C-alpha cells in the first residue's frame, strides 16, 4: 500500500558521499537476480573521504616512508652510510674539533655530514634514530590505548563507584609531573634487567612510562563515549532481545568505539615522539652510542655556534615526522567524523 | 477474557544521587502506581505530556527496567523481577519499537545483521534460513529485500523505522510496545507507518501498547486509551467514551487540542482549554490529586485527597473528585464514602484559588498542551 519513500533516502545517502552510483531505492538494473545490493559501510565512506584529503595523503606518504626507513635502517645505512657508532677522525679538524669542509662536512660519502669531535655519520644516526623514535612512540601508544580502552569501557559501562574510582585515578595521573618522574626513574635504572642490555632497558622504560602516563587521555575519551553509547536505543533493542552484557559490549559498543580510538591513537603518536625526544634531550632517553634524535639535539647544543647544521638536522627530522603524523591523524579524524562536512 | 498483560501498582523511582559518596538525596517518581491490563489482540493507547513517564512505563513492561514496586504479569507469569537469563525466553513474546529511528539502529551494523540479531540472540533457526527470513521480513514492512547489506545511514527516517519494526516482529511476538513510533517522523510519513503497524496487527494478530504524546495519533489505532499525568493514569477508557465524553479535566484539556476531523462539528467544539502553569516536577509531585495545581475545578479535597482510579461508567475508569460529563452517572459508594469522611460537598459551586478557565481561548497558542499534529489524520 505505502510506497517506501525511496527518493528521500537516496538523496540522504548521497549527500554524505558524492556520486554514489547506486543509491538505495533507485531501481537498480544489475542486481535483479536476487543478488543483495552491497552497502557502503562507515569504514568505506571514511576511506573515500580520506583519499580526497591531499594533506592527509601527503602525511600518510611521509609516515609510510619513515616506517620503511626505520624497518630497513641497516640496509639503508649499509648502502648509503657508515655504521652509526663508527668514529671518523679523518673528517674532523683536529684544531677546532669541527667537521672538515663547509656545511657540517656534507659530501658524497657523508650525506648529512659528520658529528663534531668524533666524526660519526649523521645520516646513519638519523636513520637509526628514526627506529628509536617510532618504536617508542608506537609501542607507548599501543600500551596507552590498550589500558585506556579497557579501563575507559569499564568506567563508562559499569558506572557507579567503579566509574568514580577510575575517574579519580585518571585525574590524579593527568596532574602528575610525568617528565620529572621519568627522569628520576630512568636515573636509577640498572644497566641490565631481565636479559635486556642498557638500551633495551631504557627503551622498555620509555615505552612503559610514556604509555602509562598516556592512558588516562584515552581512558577519558573512551569512558565518555561509552557513557553516551550505553544509553542508545540500539543497546536497549539488544537488551529487549535478551542480549547479555558481554554481547552488548562486544557487538554494540566496541564497533562504535573503534573510530574514536583509532583517531586518538594516530594523534597520540606525534605527542609520544615529542615526549621521547624531550626525555632523550634531558638525558633520560637511550644512552649513547645508540642514536636518538633528542639525544643528538642535546649533543649539538655545545657546538651549535661552530656547526649549526648538526643541530638543524635532528630538529628537522623531529619536525617533519611530527607534522606528517599530525596531518595524517587530522585526516583520519575528519574522515571518521560522522558529522564531517566533507 | 484473560489479559495478556496485567499491571498492578507499578512504580519506578529513579534515585537521585549526589556527592562523592553517591548518597541518595531523592527520587524521580517517573511511574508511581499504575494499574491496567492489556487484552490479546487489542491496542492500548497511552498518552500524556512529555516527562509523564510513558517511556518508563514501556521500558518496565518490556523489562528493560526493573520496577521499584508493583507487579507485572505476562500471561499470568510474574515477570517483575526476573533477571536477564529468566527473561530471555519471554523476550520472544514481548518486543519494543523505539521512538528514535536514528538512535535505535546501530550505525555499524548492516540492515541484515540488525534484523537477524533476534534469531541469533534467541537461538532460533527459521525455516529456509535466517537470511531468507530476514528478506521476507524486510518485504513485509515494505522495504526492498535486496537492501540486506546496506547500512542504516543509507535510509530515510521512515525506512529506518520500518527496519526497527521488522526487527521487533522477527520472532513473532505477542505483545509489541511502540514508544512514540512516529513522533520523530515527517508528518507525511507518519500516516504510512501507522497504517503499516495497523496492517501488521491484523495480519499477525499482534497486541499493541501504543505510546504517543497527543491524542490525534492514537485515535485511529487504539481500542482503549490510557491518559497519564505525572506518573499516574488519570483516565482509562475505550476510545469512543474517551473521545465523546472525557471525564477527567486533563483528558478534556488534551482533547481540546485535537483538531476535530468532522467539519460540521468543528465550530461547536473548537474551544480550547489552555492549561495554566507547568507540569510539576516528578521529584516532588503535588499532594492529593497531582493535577490540582493546573485544574480549574480543584477544591480543597483535591489538594489533600488523592482520587482513586474508579470505574465510573462501564469501560471508563477515572481518577477525579469532580469528573466532567458526569451527568447520569451514579457516583459509586466508594467515592461517596471518601467524600463523607472528608466532609466536603462533592460539587462546590465555585472553585477557589485557581482561575476558572475552561472558556474559549481565541489565541491559538498551545504551549502547555501536547503538540498538535497536522489534521490529515492517518487512516481517514
Ligand atoms: N534513567 C533515568 N534516570 C533518572 N530519571 C529518569 C530516567 N529515565 C527517565 N527519567 C525521568 O523520569 C521522568 C519520566 O520520563 P519518561 O522518559 O518516561 O517520560 P515520557 O513520558 O516518555 O516523556 P517523552 O514524551 O518526552 O518521551 C522524567 O522526569 C525523566 O527525567
Ligand atoms: Mg518517551
Amino acid at each position: 500500500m505505502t510506497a517506501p519513500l525511496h527518493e528521500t533516502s537516496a538523496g540522504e545517502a548521497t549527500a554524505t558521499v558524492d556520486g554514489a552510483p547506486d543509491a538505495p531505492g533507485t531501481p537498480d538494473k544489475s542486481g535483479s537476480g536476487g543478488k543483495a545490493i552491497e552497502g557502503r559501510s562507515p569504514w568505506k565512506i571514511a576511506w573515500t573521504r580520506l583519499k580526497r584529503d591531499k594533506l592527509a595523503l601527503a602525511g600518510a606518504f611521509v609516515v609510510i616512508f619513515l616506517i620503511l626507513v626505520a624497518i630497513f635502517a641497516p640496509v639503508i645505512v649499509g648502502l648509503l652510510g657508515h655504521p652509526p657508532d663508527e668514529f671518523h677522525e679523518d673528517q674532523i679538524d683536529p684544531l677546532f674539533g669541527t667537521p672538515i669542509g663547509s656545511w657540517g662536512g656534507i659530501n658524497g660519502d657523508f650525506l648529512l655530514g659528520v658529528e663534531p669531535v668524533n666524526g660519526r655519520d649523521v645520516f646513519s644516526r638519523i636513520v637509526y634514530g628514526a627506529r628509536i623514535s617510532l618504536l617508542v612512540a608506537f609501542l607507548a601508544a599501543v600500551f596507552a590505548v590498550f589500558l585506556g580502552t579497557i579501563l575507559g569501557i569499564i568506567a563508562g559501562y559499569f558506572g557507579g563507584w567503579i566509574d568514580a574510582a577510575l575517574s579519580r585515578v585518571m585525574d590524579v595521573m593527568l596532574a602528575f609531573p610525568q617528565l620529572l618522574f621519568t627522569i628520576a626513574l630512568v636515573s636509577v635504572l640498572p644497566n641490565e634487567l631481565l636479559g635486556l642490555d642498557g638500551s633495551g632497558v631504557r627503551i622498555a622504560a620509555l615505552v612503559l612510562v610514556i604509555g602509562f602516563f598516556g592512558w588516562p587521555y584515552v581512558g577519558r575519551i573512551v569512558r565518555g563515549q561509552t557513557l553516551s553509547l550505553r544509553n542508545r536505543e540500539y543497546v536497549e533493542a539488544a537488551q529487549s532481545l535478551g542480549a547479555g552484557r558481554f554481547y552488548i559490549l562486544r557487538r554494540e559498543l566496541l564497533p562504535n568505539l573503534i573510530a574514536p580510538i583509532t583517531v586518538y591513537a594516530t594523534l597520540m603518536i606525534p605527542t609520544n615522539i615529542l615526549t621521547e625526544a624531550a626525555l632523550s634531550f634531558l638525558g633520560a632517553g637511550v644512552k649513547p652510542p645508540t642514536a636518538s634524535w633528542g639525544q643528538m639535539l642535546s649533543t649539538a647544543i655545545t657546538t651549535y655556534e661552530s656547526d649549526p647544521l648538526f643541530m638543524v638536522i635532528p630538529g628537522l627530522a623531529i619536525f617533519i615526522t611530527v607534522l606528517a603524523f599530525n596531518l595524517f591523524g587530522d585526516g583520519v579524524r575528519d574522515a571518521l567524523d560522522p558529522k564531517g562536512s566533507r | 477474557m484473560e489479559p495478556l498483560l496485567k499491571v498492578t501498582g507499578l512504580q519506578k523511582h529513579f534515585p537521585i544521587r549526589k556527592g562523592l559518596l553517591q548518597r541518595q538525596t531523592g527520587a524521580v517518581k517517573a511511574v508511581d502506581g499504575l494499574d491496567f491490563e492489556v487484552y490479546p489482540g487489542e491496542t492500548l493507547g497511552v498518552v500524556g505530556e512529555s516527562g509523564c513517564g510513558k517511556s518508563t512505563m514501556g521500558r518496565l513492561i518490556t523489562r528493560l527496567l526493573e520496577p521499584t514496586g508493583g507487579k507485572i504479569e505476562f500471561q499470568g507469569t510474574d515477570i517483575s523481577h526476573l533477571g536477564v537469563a529468566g527473561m530471555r525466553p519471554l523476550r520472544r513474546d514481548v518486543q519494543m519499537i523505539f521512538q528514535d529511528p536514528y538512535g535505535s539502529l546501530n550505525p555499524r551494523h548492516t540492515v541484515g545483521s540488525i534484523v537477524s540479531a533476534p534469531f541469533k540472540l534467541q537461538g532460533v533457526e527459521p525455516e529456509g534460513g535466517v537470511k531468507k527470513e530476514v528478506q521476507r521480513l524486510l518485504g513485509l514492512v515494505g522495504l526492498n529485500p535486496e537492501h540486506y547489506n546496506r547500512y542504516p545511514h543509507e535510509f530515510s527516517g521512515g525506512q529506518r523505522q520500518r527496519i526497527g519494526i521488522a526487527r521487533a516482529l522477527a520472532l513473532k511476538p505477542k505483545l509489541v510496545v511502540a514508544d512514540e513510533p512516529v513522533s520523530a517522523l515527517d508528518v507525511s510519513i507518519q500516516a504510512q507507518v501507522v497504517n503499516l503497524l495497523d496492517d501488521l496487527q491484523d495480519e499477525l494478530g499482534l497486541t499493541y501498547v501504543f505510546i504517543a504524546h497527543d491524542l490525534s495519533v492514537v485515535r485511529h489505532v487504539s481500542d482503549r486509551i490510557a491518559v497519564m499525568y505525572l506518573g499516574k493514569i488519570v483516565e482509562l477508557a475505550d476510545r469512543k467514551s474517551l473521545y465523546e465524553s472525557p471525564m477527567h479535566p486533563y483528558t478534556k484539556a488534551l482533547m481540546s487540542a485535537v483538531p476535530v476531523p468532522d467539519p460540521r462539528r468543528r465550530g461547536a467544539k473548537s474551544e480550547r482549554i489552555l492549561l495554566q502553569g507547568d507540569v510539576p516536577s516528578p521529584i516532588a509531585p503535588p499532594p492529593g490529586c497531582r493535577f490540582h495545581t493546573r485544574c480549574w475545578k480543584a477544591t480543597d479535597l483535591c489538594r489533600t485527597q488523592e482520587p482513586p482510579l474508579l470505574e465510573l461508567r462501564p469501560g471508563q475508569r477515572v481518577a477525579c473528585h469532580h469528573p466532567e460529563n458526569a451527568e447520569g452517572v451514579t457516583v459509586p459508594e466508594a467515592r461517596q464514602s471518601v467524600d463523607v469522611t472528608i466532609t466536603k460537598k462533592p460539587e462546590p459551586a465555585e472553585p477557589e484559588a485557581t482561575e476558572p478557565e475552561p472558556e474559549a481561548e481565541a489565541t491559538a497558542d498551545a504551549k502547555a498542551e501536547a503538540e498538535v499534529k497536522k489534521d490529515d489524520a492517518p487512516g481517514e
Side-chain angles (χ1 to χ4, degrees), chain A residues 1 4-6 9 12 22 24-25 31 37 39-42 45 233-234 236 240-242 251-252 256, chain B residues 59 88 91 95 98 100 103-104 106 108-109 122 142 146-147 149-151 153-156 159 162 189 199:
Chain A
M1 31 120 226
L5 301 154
H6 283 323
S9 94
E12 244 177 46
D22 56 341
I37 300 162
R40 297 174 62 84
S41 81
I45 289 170
E233 283 183 345
Y234 56 76
E236 289 189 312
S240 79
L241 291 164
R251 287 279 299 163
E252 308 291 342
N256 287 287
Chain B
R59 293 188 160 100
R88 194 165 288 132
R91 298 260 176 223
Q95 275 300 303
F98 294 89
D100 178 7
S104 60
N106 193 330
R108 301 275 163 192
H109 294 328
Q122 288 286 338
E146 289 172 18
H147 288 167
N149 280 329
R150 290 207 175 269
Y151 286 84
H153 68 88
E154 297 172 283
F155 294 88
S156 68
Q159 289 177 314
R162 288 167 193 267
I189 303 164
D199 293 346

Side-chain angles (χ1 to χ4, degrees), chain A residues 133-189:
Chain A
S133 264
L134 295 187
L135 185 73
V136 170
F138 271 111
L139 291 182
V142 168
F143 184 49
V145 164
F146 180 76
L147 266 186
T149 302
I150 289 182
L151 295 175
I153 285 184
I154 289 174
Y157 190 58
F158 292 97
W161 67 266
I162 298 180
D163 181 27
L166 282 171
S167 295
R168 288 302 86 74
V169 170
M170 290 192 246
D171 288 346
V172 169
M173 290 201 48
L174 291 174
F176 208 82
Q178 178 193 352
L179 229 48
L180 294 183
F181 176 83
T182 314
I183 293 169
L185 179 83
V186 170
S187 61
V188 299
L189 275 180

